[in-house]
Amino acid sequence: QVQLVESGGGLVQPGGSLRLSCASSASLHSFNVMAWYRQAPGKQRELVAKFPDGGSPNYADSVKGRFTISTDYAKNTINLQMTSLTPEDTAIYFCNADQLLSGFKHLEFWGQGTLVTVHS
């Protein structure tokens, strides 16, 4: 099965930057959508950034202009560059990928999550 492994989380100060990476065991060419989600304490999981294969990335309003999602097909990584971080960005960040199968079936894969804590 496809495995996604996040890295890069940690403790940063408000206003700081952090880069998250998601290493995929499968080629990114096998995914129709790649994304990052996050879940803050006591809250539901929310979409942060989405990157459709062959399309343009889109972002939640709360992170637009601060976060950038990118893909590296050579390295099979999905990255999230985060800048101007605030305490409200504190959450567990999850890598996500959707794989299109035959018969219009889909499989969705998730990483284990990496914790980002924004605190002074």
Side-chain angles (χ1 to χ4, degrees):
Q1 287 186 292
V2 174
Q3 293 182 335
L4 304 176
V5 180
E6 301 97 335
S7 63
L11 175 65
V12 296
Q13 294 185 333
S17 300
L18 203 62
R19 184 178 181 86
L20 306 182
S21 294
C22 172
S24 171
S25 65
S27 170
L28 300 190
H29 290 293
S30 68
F31 303 137
N32 61 299
V33 181
M34 293 155 281
W36 282 93
Y37 289 78
R38 69 184 181 187
Q39 186 168 16
K43 297 183 179 180
Q44 293 293 103
R45 183 183 62 196
E46 66 172 342
L47 176 66
V48 175
K50 180 185 294 184
F51 204 154
D53 184 33
S56 300
N58 51 81
Y59 304 89
D61 289 341
S62 59
V63 307
K64 189 173 297 183
R66 300 188 298 118
F67 290 12
T68 302
I69 186 172
S70 63
T71 54
D72 189 329
Y73 284 83
K75 297 180 179 179
N76 291 329
T77 60
I78 308 164
N79 305 306
L80 185 68
Q81 178 67 48
M82 306 183 295
T83 63
S84 301
L85 288 163
T86 73
E88 288 69 38
D89 295 316
T90 295
I92 300 175
Y93 285 72
F94 297 92
C95 178
N96 170 268
D98 186 90
Q99 188 176 63
L100 178 64
L101 304 178
S102 62
F104 303 103
K105 302 294 184 180
H106 293 260
L107 288 178
E108 196 170 50
F109 303 98
W110 294 90
Q112 82 287 351
T114 185
L115 177 63
V116 173
T117 302
V118 185
H119 183 66
S120 61

